[in-house]
Amino acid sequence: MKHYLILITSTLFLLGCQSSKEDIKEQSLKTIHHIDFSQVKINDNFWSPRLSKHISTTLLVCIDQIENQTGRIRNFENAAKGEGEHSGIFFDDSDVYKALEGIAYSLINNPNPELEKKADEWIDKIEAAQQSDGYINTFYTLTNLEKRWTNMDKHEMYCAGHLIEAGVAYFQATGKRKLLDVCIRMADHMMRQFGPEKAHWVPGHEEIELALVKLYQITLEDKYLDFAYWLLEERGHGYGSMGNEGIWNPAYYQDSEPVRKLTDISGHAVRCMYLYCGMTDVAALRNNTEYIDALNRLWNDVTLRNMYITGGIGSSKHNEGVTKDYDLPNLEAYCETCASVGMVFWNHRMNQITGDAKYIDILERSMYNGVLAGISLSGDRFFYVNPLESKGDHHRQEWYGCACCPSQLSRFLPTIGNYIYAISDDALWVNLYIGNTTRFTLNGDNVILRQETNYPWDGSVKLTVSSTKDLDKEIRLRIPGWCKNYTITINGKEVGLSQEKGYAIVYDWKPGDMISLDMDMPVEVESADPLVTENIGKRAIQRGPLVYCAEETDNSAYFDRLTLTSDTEYHTSFEAGLLNGVKTINAKNEQQSITFIPYYAWDNREAGKMKVWIDYKE
């Protein structure tokens, strides 16, 4: 791959826009439906330890911080009593909701009575803090309810969105409605204040839009989808305001023009990701081709001109977002963990409505590099910012005053299974290569998918589909953008294949067949787009989906003089005792022998410098 920013044209296809509520319940307006993580049991050497750490460590860290180290849960207790101070930042309620969502997802595949009891305790406190008119936000309840809904940047709808996502998740996990009913009352309260013939509102931090779509899908109430669409349409008409608390910056808030006319990413990176997710959801359900056109333009702008090799976005600290095209500094890179999670969310949605593997390529890049770097191997420390170079003073922390990233990871990690498989009318789609056993029902038949692989360390994948009758579906295996050579065999016999939009299509198979995909996984030396001036005369190392970096601890003798050349030879070695088991890359030339480790694993040993982009000489 010559550049890590690649232009790939796409063709879009959608199903019809009208259907009954029964159709919506099955999400049949989307072209492709992912197989839910609740039906996926991951069992591989790479992801299983991380999921175990999520249960044993990450969730407990979040609970401890929320209950004991900060005032987040106390804010709800005070709001219920109607007395006491509000501690922390005005949007801290959202951390409680995201941690609750993470608990709900954990309970789905790993039932735990004590964890469920803890969630129920929190939900009781949340319900008690809700006002009689349905409003819930501890900041305004404890400071001045008269000032609610006066500043569009005070994250009221952002917090409400995370409340809704948690309420839907907990209902799906346990069947308990208490938190879902709190969500419904808050959503109905907002709709009494805002909407057609009512007051205008532009959420300063997007999130409510995609959450309302989830509420619509669980309740089948059209009004929630309509409200999501109305909120999207509010942007770009001059309605944004911070009241008397500051000057509204339309570019920062994605409010410069109507969303259907957007061409370039602007402002805060995480807000952009949530906006694009909401647009994609609404576009799929309403067959809104203007939204789809805008999303295609935005995707090209993000991935071709504003994305790091790690799949991270947001190069600038001052606005936690973007500045100008190709401004991608390494040492000062912001690359918020939440933004990388947002890239996974958005690209997953785009794949579902297009069937194009290029979106999963970006999803995978962001997930294995930008997201995984955000959490320590021990599961108890977190990066908010993910630079591509460090002078030795950037480290993960136990928590943050603005703790969106730890709680974001707590809800993301248990849902990894969402991104592996999908189903459409004519195909079974295999998007990610993760060892697992998946069970689901299709047309009354019990289907079992088994995937065996040592990915991302090697490119060998074995897939078996078991069912009692012919599924009458082709199998589409994603061929990652990094893969130049591959073979596919059925029961050991190589088969001829066609390829479409990045998927190899297997037609002639039957239940019980062993389908093997073998992808060459050489070390790749990557160059940046020449317009990225920061990386002129530099190269980065990638192998499979993993971006690599050099740490000072492995290269202390000449770290500041690290140099790759055209004659450098690369050798890989799996080291089981290093960083929970990693495949290292040794780059050797006449001048040096450089050790590279996966970027996600840096800063898990002694403090030291790090860099992704290395000086290069022909």
Side-chain angles (χ1 to χ4, degrees):
M1 184 168 60
K2 184 176 180 181
H3 305 307
Y4 71 86
L5 302 173
I6 308 172
L7 177 60
I8 311 173
T9 59
S10 65
T11 303
L12 191 70
F13 59 92
L14 289 169
L15 294 179
C17 62
Q18 300 298 323
S19 75
S20 66
K21 288 186 177 181
E22 288 73 19
D23 291 328
I24 298 298
K25 189 173 182 180
E26 297 301 323
Q27 298 184 343
S28 62
L29 282 176
K30 289 187 177 181
T31 305
I32 304 165
H33 324 293
H34 71 268
I35 295 177
D36 192 79
F37 74 93
S38 62
Q39 298 167 295
V40 179
K41 181 175 178 57
I42 291 175
N43 42 35
D44 78 353
N45 293 328
F46 187 85
W47 284 106
S48 293
R50 287 162 172 76
L51 296 177
S52 294
K53 282 291 184 184
H54 174 265
I55 298 168
S56 67
T57 304
T58 307
L59 279 180
L60 299 185
V61 167
C62 291
I63 291 170
D64 179 58
Q65 289 287 341
I66 285 169
E67 288 192 332
N68 304 317
Q69 309 303 321
T70 70
R72 282 163 173 76
I73 205 69
R74 187 167 60 252
N75 285 335
F76 287 94
E77 296 168 346
N78 291 345
K81 294 184 296 184
E83 60 184 34
E85 295 184 351
H86 180 275
S87 64
I89 309 174
F90 54 84
F91 52 76
D92 278 354
D93 290 2
S94 62
D95 292 333
V96 180
Y97 300 146
K98 284 191 282 186
L100 258 177
E101 190 180 354
I103 290 172
Y105 293 148
S106 178
L107 291 174
I108 287 175
N109 281 344
N110 299 278
N112 182 322
E114 289 302 312
L115 195 58
E116 186 172 342
K117 180 181 178 182
K118 176 61 64 178
D120 289 338
E121 291 174 2
W122 285 11
I123 291 168
D124 287 343
K125 293 176 181 182
I126 292 168
E127 182 190 46
Q130 189 167 35
Q131 301 296 298
S132 59
D133 63 358
Y135 182 81
I136 179 166
N137 183 287
T138 66
F139 173 75
Y140 279 111
T141 298
L142 292 172
T143 57
N144 186 351
L145 269 175
E146 294 299 316
K147 294 189 69 176
R148 64 181 178 173
W149 303 126
T150 59
N151 183 341
M152 296 180 187
D153 191 37
K154 274 292 194 269
H155 290 46
E156 288 162 280
M157 286 196 180
Y158 170 80
C159 289
H162 281 302
L163 168 67
I164 290 170
E165 288 203 86
V168 170
Y170 202 67
F171 175 70
Q172 292 173 326
T174 67
K176 298 176 182 178
R177 285 193 58 97
K178 181 177 288 188
L179 188 61
L180 182 62
D181 288 337
V182 171
C183 301
I184 290 171
R185 290 193 291 271
M186 177 57 168
D188 290 347
H189 164 82
M190 292 186 290
M191 292 171 62
R192 287 194 296 271
Q193 313 300 313
F194 309 105
E197 312 298 325
K198 301 170 189 174
H200 293 291
W201 193 263
V202 179
H205 195 313
E206 297 90 335
E207 154 66 17
I208 185 63
E209 302 86 351
L210 67 90
L212 285 166
V213 173
K214 289 188 176 183
L215 188 59
Y216 158 66
Q217 290 171 326
I218 202 75
T219 64
L220 303 182
E221 291 286 344
D222 292 336
K223 62 182 181 179
Y224 299 124
L225 177 60
D226 293 342
F227 191 41
Y229 176 66
W230 180 84
L231 286 169
L232 291 170
E233 289 295 296
E234 281 287 274
R235 295 182 177 275
H237 302 289
Y239 303 141
S241 171
M242 297 176 69
N244 60 4
E245 298 183 56
I247 304 299
W248 183 264
N249 180 343
Y252 177 75
Y253 297 108
Q254 300 78 52
D255 191 35
S256 296
E257 56 188 332
V259 296
R260 65 187 65 235
K261 295 183 179 180
L262 290 173
T263 59
D264 301 288
I265 186 172
S266 68
H268 191 283
V270 180
R271 303 180 199 218
C272 289
M273 290 300 100
Y274 289 170
L275 171 64
Y276 305 163
C277 285
M279 288 175 63
T280 310
D281 285 342
V282 170
L285 291 167
R286 287 179 172 261
N287 195 17
N288 189 317
T289 57
E290 288 186 288
Y291 277 19
I292 293 296
D293 290 343
L295 289 162
N296 283 331
R297 295 191 298 267
L298 290 164
W299 190 86
N300 283 337
D301 186 57
V302 171
T303 60
L304 303 179
R305 296 180 284 276
N306 293 281
M307 185 182 76
Y308 284 89
I309 191 172
T310 58
I313 60 168
S315 59
S316 169
K317 179 179 180 179
H318 86 87
N319 65 351
E320 294 189 318
V322 299
T323 52
K324 60 183 180 180
D325 289 347
Y326 306 104
D327 178 25
L328 297 168
N330 296 316
L331 184 64
E332 300 84 12
Y334 205 72
C335 290
E336 184 179 336
T337 299
C338 283
S340 291
V341 173
M343 284 285 279
V344 173
F345 291 161
W346 178 36
N347 280 279
H348 184 228
R349 286 165 163 83
M350 292 296 286
N351 172 262
Q352 287 183 300
I353 63 170
T354 65
D356 198 320
K358 71 178 185 179
Y359 299 110
I360 304 298
D361 285 348
I362 300 298
L363 181 158
E364 182 180 68
R365 181 178 294 276
S366 297
M367 187 170 79
Y368 277 91
N369 301 290
V371 174
L372 273 188
I375 187 167
S376 65
L377 297 176
S378 56
D380 60 354
R381 289 181 177 270
F382 310 93
F383 274 149
Y384 191 110
V385 177
N386 292 276
L388 279 73
E389 182 178 349
S390 170
K391 296 299 185 183
D393 56 354
H394 185 78
H395 308 293
R396 295 178 184 84
Q397 298 182 25
E398 292 182 354
W399 200 250
Y400 293 85
C402 173
C404 54
C405 295
S407 54
Q408 177 84 299
L409 287 164
S410 78
R411 73 178 184 137
F412 173 75
L413 287 171
T415 68
I416 295 298
N418 274 344
Y419 309 107
I420 302 175
Y421 301 114
I423 290 284
S424 64
D425 288 342
D426 59 352
L428 167 65
W429 306 69
V430 184
N431 285 319
L432 294 182
Y433 299 113
I434 296 174
N436 70 88
T437 301
T438 296
R439 303 172 190 271
F440 62 99
T441 301
L442 184 65
N443 299 328
D445 185 32
N446 293 323
V447 180
I448 302 175
L449 305 178
R450 286 190 176 90
Q451 187 181 147
E452 300 173 76
T453 183
N454 196 32
Y455 200 89
W457 307 125
D458 71 49
S460 177
V461 181
K462 298 185 184 303
L463 179 72
T464 305
V465 184
S466 301
S467 63
T468 57
K469 57 186 178 183
D470 190 347
L471 297 184
D472 193 28
K473 290 184 185 294
E474 62 197 31
I475 294 178
R476 294 195 167 215
L477 302 169
R478 181 178 69 97
I479 306 303
W482 55 259
C483 178
K484 308 298 188 300
N485 298 294
Y486 69 93
T487 59
I488 294 177
T489 62
I490 298 179
N491 301 325
K493 182 179 179 181
E494 190 167 343
V495 294
L497 300 162
S498 61
Q499 187 168 328
E500 182 182 5
K501 294 183 178 181
Y503 289 92
I505 306 172
V506 181
Y507 298 100
D508 189 17
W509 69 279
K510 60 183 182 299
D513 284 346
M514 171 70 74
I515 302 171
S516 297
L517 167 64
D518 288 287
M519 298 173 282
D520 288 349
M521 195 179 278
V523 174
E524 299 283 356
V525 181
E526 307 287 6
S527 59
D529 189 297
L531 292 174
V532 181
T533 57
E534 177 86 6
N535 293 329
I536 293 174
K538 298 179 185 293
R539 296 292 186 272
I541 303 301
Q542 180 173 327
R543 184 176 181 275
L546 298 178
V547 173
Y548 277 68
C549 68
E551 278 197 293
E552 186 178 19
T553 186
D554 299 311
N555 307 280
S556 58
Y558 36 76
F559 186 83
D560 292 330
R561 304 190 307 278
L562 294 180
T563 304
L564 298 173
T565 72
S566 57
D567 296 326
T568 299
E569 296 181 354
Y570 301 90
H571 303 279
T572 64
S573 174
F574 187 78
E575 300 188 40
L578 179 65
L579 298 167
N580 291 355
V582 295
K583 186 159 284 191
T584 60
I585 297 174
N586 179 259
K588 193 170 185 177
N589 55 46
E590 291 183 358
Q591 297 174 311
Q592 300 162 344
S593 178
I594 306 171
T595 297
F596 289 88
I597 64 165
Y599 172 78
Y600 74 76
W602 84 278
D603 193 48
N604 278 280
R605 297 174 289 174
E606 57 267 32
K609 300 176 182 178
M610 180 277 298
K611 61 176 68 174
V612 170
W613 290 95
I614 311 296
D615 288 342
Y616 180 83
K617 292 182 180 179
E618 293 290 348

